[in-house]
Each structure stands twice: as structure tokens, then as C-alpha cells.
Amino acid sequence: MRDGDAGHALDATLARTMATSSAAAHPASSGQPAGHEALVRDLQQALGVDSVLQAPEDLIAFEYDATIERALPEVAVFPATTDQVAAAVRIAEAHSRPVVPRGSGSGLSGGAVPVLGGVLVVLTKMNRIIEVDRVNRVAVVQPGVVNLQLQEALAPHGLVFAPDPSSQRVCSLGGNVANNSGGPHTLAHGSTVNHVLGLEVVLPGGRVVRFGGRLADMPGIDLRGLFVGSEGTIGIVTEITVRLVRAAPDVRTLVAIFDSVDAASEAVSAIIRRGLIPVALEMLDREIIRLVEPRIHAGYPLDAGAVLLIEVEGLAEGVEADAASVEEACGLAGAREVRVARTAAERDRLWEARKVGIGAIGAASPAFYLLDGVVPRTRLPEVMRGVMETSARYGFRVANIFHAGDGNLHPNLMFDPDEPGATERVLECAETIMRLCVDAGGAVTGEHGIGLEKRSYMEWIYSAADLAAMHAVRVAFGGADRFNPCKVLPGGHGCSVGHGAEALAVMRRGADSV
Amino acid sequence: MTTAASALDRLRHALPSDTERPPAHYALDGGTPAIAFAPNDPAEVATLLHEADEAGLALAPLGARTAAALGRPLARYDIALDLRPLDRVIEYVPEDLVITVQAGVTLATLQATLREHGQYLTVDPPPGDEVTVGGMLASARSGAWRGHLPAARDLILGMRVALPSGEVVHSGGRVVKNVTGYDLHRMHTGALGAFGVIVEATFKLAPLPAATRTLLLTAADIEACGALARRVWDAGLAVRAIAVLGARAADAAMLAPVPCVLVEAAGSVAAVERTLRELRSAATGAGDASVETWARLRRLAAGPGATVLRLGVPPAEVETTVAALERAGLTAWAHLAAGSVIARGEIAAPDVEALRRMAVERGGFLQVEVASAALREAVDPTGAEERTLVEALKRQFDPRGTVNPGRRGPGL
Ligand SMILES: Cc1cc2nc3c(=O)[nH]c(=O)nc-3n(C[C@H](O)[C@H](O)[C@H](O)COP(=O)(O)OP(=O)(O)OC[C@H]3O[C@@H](n4cnc5c(N)ncnc54)[C@H](O)[C@@H]3O)c2cc1C
């Protein structure tokens, strides 16, 4: 996902700060914390030598996720079974080491970065689809299964796992559960939490528990619902039972072309105001179109200010009516043209452009900061104006490609981290944009999670009592101190706050491998 | 047990005098509280909770009391907390399809408010729209639409909860997609008050369908009904409910006393017409049914006068489950997509346990929805759950067992 260029000043400083904070507690002559050999020996015994990495050169690939933040784990383990996950957790605890779960490392809030070192539990080996029950519309998977891998297995059955993050070619279902991920098609179907029926979880301490089951609305306390979105701070998912939906009999994909982001935003509000919920309603602005169209040739006009990629589905009869209504709403909001994809190939190309969009920014700029904010849908036009004005004021090129129907913004601020002061300015600009979202009645993350990146923003939304209640959950699960430390909640032992210690959802050139 | 008069006086001082109510109006399972209050706002609720907690008194939050027979009988009951005066719509922005209401608002009021703007909350919990929003969330029961439409726990965007510590905390917000912090509102949904009292909730709404029609389909026997229902489900038609009824259930719903399938088509006019056409050609017998039939089933699913059980089984096994239950003398029907089977009648504790084993073996569950206190003491109404964690959460949020003590079992 990145070019491995470690010369970035902020990166280096962060890595150093973090490395000292974790290693300082137990300085040892080898440069490794005291007890390192014993820890490795225990892990190797429980998981096998091949499933334990400890040489710094092997660990480099695991020091970051899709963000700029990096910190080396002391050891990375690759369990193949739930028992091995539980053993790794117990051993880490016995040696007083932090535990950090990791899926594919495509996270955009630093959630899988082992800021205090310790044992990184990488779930990629647990990548089996255990069962697809077509009749009852249920699948059981291991956490390392990649989102697209499941979609491909379901396609022949005419079934779909609704959450489809744009990173679906790489992100793991465990990561989707941990982050309660969304995607273009969660507009109609809801985020991951609405599609998870049951979970097997290894708790801090190593106990294995099950939440939920194979049916919706299992009686009792909804620990399943509480767990989804907990970002790896209260346990490690080792098996997931998901709800599947039937692929719609008919789909229509439309592209509405506008002269400005403003007009396109007005159209989004107008569509929702009609009481029409398409299954997908995405916006791509001029910057994005100019980056992707020459590569994909999907037919997005290069002189458009913004386009909306809209999908409606259902029975042919209903689809017809909905498409007509969408077209009318777009026309009234000033769409220059509304096109309908005529073939499956055309439709695929339109979506392909959406999916490579983020990567294309990476190819065009030395680095960019991908923001994730969410606002009430009626406030989209004014907030988008604010986004454009704010980035212009700070002098950054901004590219917008986002889940407009949900009010879930993703401005991408392009910058050159080697230019003095640019990183600080990009942070300030991002903070200003996040404030706009919160002031409009929104929130600081719609799908990427708080992770490390947004811990300090939590106080904008929640009172001390609110945060204490969240902390109480962490205590109850036993994960307060050493389970994915320094994530989600502000504070925490050894976790310094403030921008210096936070991750940035910054991707450097080369990010288009996603 | 008599509650110390001084403790009650303290409560009276803490709350405006117009909030006190006659305790006799709040009997539960034959037990009457020592005192009752109907606070006017969330702050008063929090004050009452805090005072109760300090005094070591047990408090039961109450809405429309349609789910009062859910869970174990209370172990202690000193204070009734009537939430119905919390009946304000805090904010409704129809253009955003989002509403924030207080916990005492009834579903009927909520739906009426929304209907004016062509919107609704896609839930149809038993026994009817008289449920309050708080009670509906705390009991998390769903109806015929579940499996076709999202349930309350999927529609909740944010919540305010009064805690025994006296604080009112919130989680989530009023945007339709949000992963800012832990979703505490999910923990309170279905918790029967175990961790605090829900005082306000924000929901995601849906546009009302332009057309709805209910159709009654018949087939040779209950097995054929099950197969037919699944064909309808698989056809991808514009439907929002598919129920499979045993003969007794059909009778109770005032239909002809034979096994049948009840389908509700919903969507655009054109989509509903097409759906009805396909349904008519798929079944040997098809006719219109009154939409009232759904309301009757809903009422039967939680109404008094009998023991009611809700079983969860895989959708592929609903008709065999319904058949077995009706053979055992119960009135049974199922909502196919959710795998939810409801059984009504007279049933003894050992039989409940046997049915639960059957459901659990199939990856499902059994919950006792309505029953005498005696039956709810003899069998665990909810069934096994991850008790160690639930206890740990209880220690964090309600360490003294102030809210609904015993309702989730001994010590909870
Ligand atoms: C180009 C690009 C596009 C993206 N588009 C979207 C999008 O459309 N929608 C969206 O929601 N996200 C998107 N993302 C973000 C990211 O892909 C998702 O958050 C994804 O779910 C992360 O999965 P992962 O396997 O990569 O998790 P990781 O990055 O490895 O981990 C993410 C978090 O989950 C925890 N975790 C991982 N596995 C487990 C487990 N088994 N048990 C417990 N905790 C675990 C980690 O500790 C960490 O906190 C995008 C990212 C990129 C790079």
C-alpha cells in the first residue's frame, strides 16, 4: 500500500516516540524489552515456529495500516485456529504485553498499529469460508476471509453480503466487523452490524465466547451489537456468522452529471427528501473524474463539476418508477444530463472507476489525507461548500469521492509531506473540516473508525460521563489496559494525546494497489 | 416488605410533588411498589434513579406495560418509574428521514407523526402500537416485518440513558451512519433495563410504501405451505411479510381453520401489482385477506390469557416446527424470513425446556414472551447467555442492582 519510504519526518518522529514509550519500560541490552526471548519461546511453542515473526526486518510490513502512523510490534503471530488465538492472548498477558489484532491492514484510522509494541495477532491465516447455507441465507466465515472472496463465493447462489467497502479486494471480514464498515451499498442495507448474526470472540484474558447465533434477534443482552465496531479493543473475532441478502432481480445504474459539487449535493438532498432511498448514491468530483476516467474509460465527462453514481434495485416495475423519480430530482437540481448504464459491462466500468478512485489520488500526489466525516443529509450542500472553501483557504487540492446518500464525506486532501509545514497544515485543515461536520449535527467518523486518529475528537461529541460509560465497557470486557491500547477512547496509560501521537489516514504514492 | 418511611420521604423531596402517583396502579406479578413517580423530564428520571441507588431501593421503569411479563419476576420492587410523561418529539427533520423522541412516546403517536410526512418506522412489535418507544427498545421484540425490513435495533442511531449514578449519558448521534465510539445503545436494546433507563432515542426512518396488499395463500397441508412460503421469499417480490399459519392459528386470526400462508405485498403500485399477479399464479388457492389479520396476530403474540413462547429456528424448518407445536395442542404460526415461530396455549415447564432444546439444537432459541410468574420462575425465560460478561457489565453500570433487580435472573 505504500512505497516504504521511511524518510518522512513526522513518521520518523512518531515511530521514535512510540518506540521509546513501549521499550523504555523494560530496557534490555538487545534493544528488545526484557523477557523478549521467553515471550517468543512461549509463542513458538503454542503456535509453531513458522507462525511467529520477531526479526525487525520481517516486522516492517506490519508496522502500519493504511495510515501514516507506524510502530513496530515486538512479535507478530499468525494463528491458524481459535485455540491458537486464545493461546497467543494468554501468553501476551502472562508476559504483560499489549495485544493488537490485525486483519488486512487496510484500516484508515491507525486501529491496527501496535503503538505500544507487544504482540500483533494477524488473522490472515484464518481465511476459510466454513459454510454457505443458501436456503437460510446464512454464511459462517473465519475473520481472515477477504470481503470480495466471500462475495465471489456467494454470487453463484444469487446471494450477497451487503457491506461492500471500496477496499473489498483486500479488507478482511474481521476488520469489517471490528470497524463496523460501510460501503456504497450500505445506504439501503445498513452497515456491517446489520448483517452480523453471530460471533465467536477471544476475550482479553483468552476466554472464548459466543455472541448472537444464526438468527436475528437472539434473546438476551445484545453483546453482538456492542462488539461490532469496537475496533479490536475488547476482543478478537475468530468466527463470524453473517446474514445474506438475495441479489435483486433488477438493477438500474444511473450517472447524473452536474456542473458543480454544489448542484450535485443539492440533488442528493432532493432525492432523499422525496423519500427515495436508492441502494447506492455516490459522488465523484471533477478531481476524481480527471484522475480515473483516462484509466478506466467509464464515460464520465472530463468537464463535469461532479457526478452522482446512483443505483436503484428491486422488481423491474419498481425500478422503473424509482429511476424516473431520481432522474427528475437530478434534473430539477440542475443536472446537465442523466445517463443510464445499458449493459452489465457499462455498469461494471462505472463502479470500477468508483473503486479505483482513492488509489488514483495516490498516484497523482505524493501523499493525501483521506477524511471521513458524516453530516445530516439536508446539510450536505452547505458542508460541501465549506469543505471546498476550507481546502482552498489552506491551499490544498481536494478530491471528493464518497457515500453521498448517507451524508458520509470523504474529502481527500493532497499534499507533499516533504514540503516544510505541509503536514501540520493538512492536519489543521482536516480539523476545520471535521468541525464543520460536527457543527452541522454530524459525527467525526461514518465508517473508518476512531482508532488512534480521532481519539482527541471524541471530546467534541461526548461528555466526560459519556466517555466514562464507554470506558466501563472496556473494563467489563477486561480490555482496559493492554488490549489494543490507545485506541478509540482518549487517555490511557502510556498513550500521549494531541496531534503528535495521532495517526493520519494519509496514503503515499503507491496506494493504488488497493 | 416495608420500605423505610424516611427513604421514601427523601425521594419525595427530590422530585416535584406533582410527579407522585398512587403505587396501587403499578402492581407487577401481584407485587405493589412502596411509591411511584411519573417524572416530567430525563433530569428528574436521573435524580430518581440516583436517589433510589443511594437508598438501596429497587426501581422498575415502566412504559405501556405490554412486556411486563417478559423476563423473571422482579426480586425486589420498591419504586415504580412511569415514563409515559416523557412524551415529547425532540426533533424531526423529515427531509433527513431521522427523528428523535423521548422514551414515553407511544409507537402509535410516533407513526402518526411520521405518516403526515409519508414516512414510518419499519417495526411492528407485539402486541400493538400502544408500546412506548423505551419499552419497545428495552424488550427488542419484532414482528412480521423482521427479516424483510430492519428491526428497531438496526434503526437506532443514538440514545440517551439515565444511569443509577444519576448521570444521563448518550451514545451515537442523529446521522444515519456513525462509528464514533462504542455503540452503547445496542447494549441497552433488549436489556430490559439491566444497565439503565432509556430516556430518548433517535431513529432512521423509511418512506411509506405507496401500496400495500395482504394475500392469503392456501396449499394442501402445512408442509406444502412452508414450501410455498419459501418460494415466495426466494422470488424476490415486493413483500414485507410472509407468515406460515397452523390451522389453529388461522382460526385464532379469524381465517378459515386450515394451514395457510399470509403475504403482505408492499412497494410502488406497479411492483405490488406484479407481486400479486405472481402470488396468485404460484398458489393453488389465493384470495385477499384483511390487513386486520396482521394486527390480530400481533396481539396474539403478546396478549394475555395464555402462555406465549417465541422460538427461533432456521427458516427452512418453520413449518415442521409449527406443525409439531400445533400437534402438541398449541396455536402456532411463523414469520418465515426471521425464522420466528410463535406458540400460544397452555404449556408446562418441562415442555418449555424440551422445546428450547429442540430450538437450540437447530441454532435457534426459545424465549418465554408471556407467562405466569410461576412459570417464569420455573424456567429461565430467555435461555442461556454469556453470563460472566453480562454480570461484569452490570457491575459497571448498576452495581447495586437498582434497576429491575432479578429480571434477567438471580443477581442481574
Ligand atoms: C482505498 C481504501 C478504501 C476504503 N474504503 C472503505 C469503505 O468504503 N468503507 C469502509 O468502511 N472502510 C473503507 N476502508 C477502510 C478499511 O478498509 C476498513 O476499515 C476495513 O474493514 C478494515 O479491514 P482490515 O482487515 O484491513 O482491518 P485492519 O486494518 O487490519 O484492522 C482494522 C481494525 O480492526 C481490528 N481488527 C482487525 N481484525 C480483527 C479481528 N479479527 N478481531 C478484532 N479486531 C480486529 C484492528 O485492531 C483495527 O482496529 C478503505 C480503506 C482503503 C485503504
Side-chain angles (χ1 to χ4, degrees), chain A residues 1 65-66 100-108 111-112 123 143 164-167 170-176 178-184 227 231-232 235-238 354 358-359 370 403 410 447-448 484 507 514:
Chain A
M1 298 251 324
D65 57 6
V100 179
R102 179 186 171 102
S104 304
S106 74
L108 289 170
L123 282 307
D164 58 342
S166 306
S167 52
V170 294
C171 66
S172 72
L173 292 168
N176 295 171
N179 281 358
N180 189 15
S181 300
F227 189 91
E231 302 192 30
I236 302 182
V237 192
T238 49
R354 166 65 182 91
I358 302 265
L370 199 176
H403 314 302
H410 290 326
E447 56 179 19
H448 294 167
N484 209 358
M507 281 177 280
V514 170

Side-chain angles (χ1 to χ4, degrees), chain B residues 311-313 349-366 379 383:
Chain B
L311 291 83
V313 298
D351 298 328
V352 175
E353 297 287 13
L355 285 174
R356 172 170 284 153
R357 278 193 299 278
M358 190 268 311
V360 170
E361 268 166 26
R362 285 163 174 73
F365 61 84
L366 180 150
V379 290

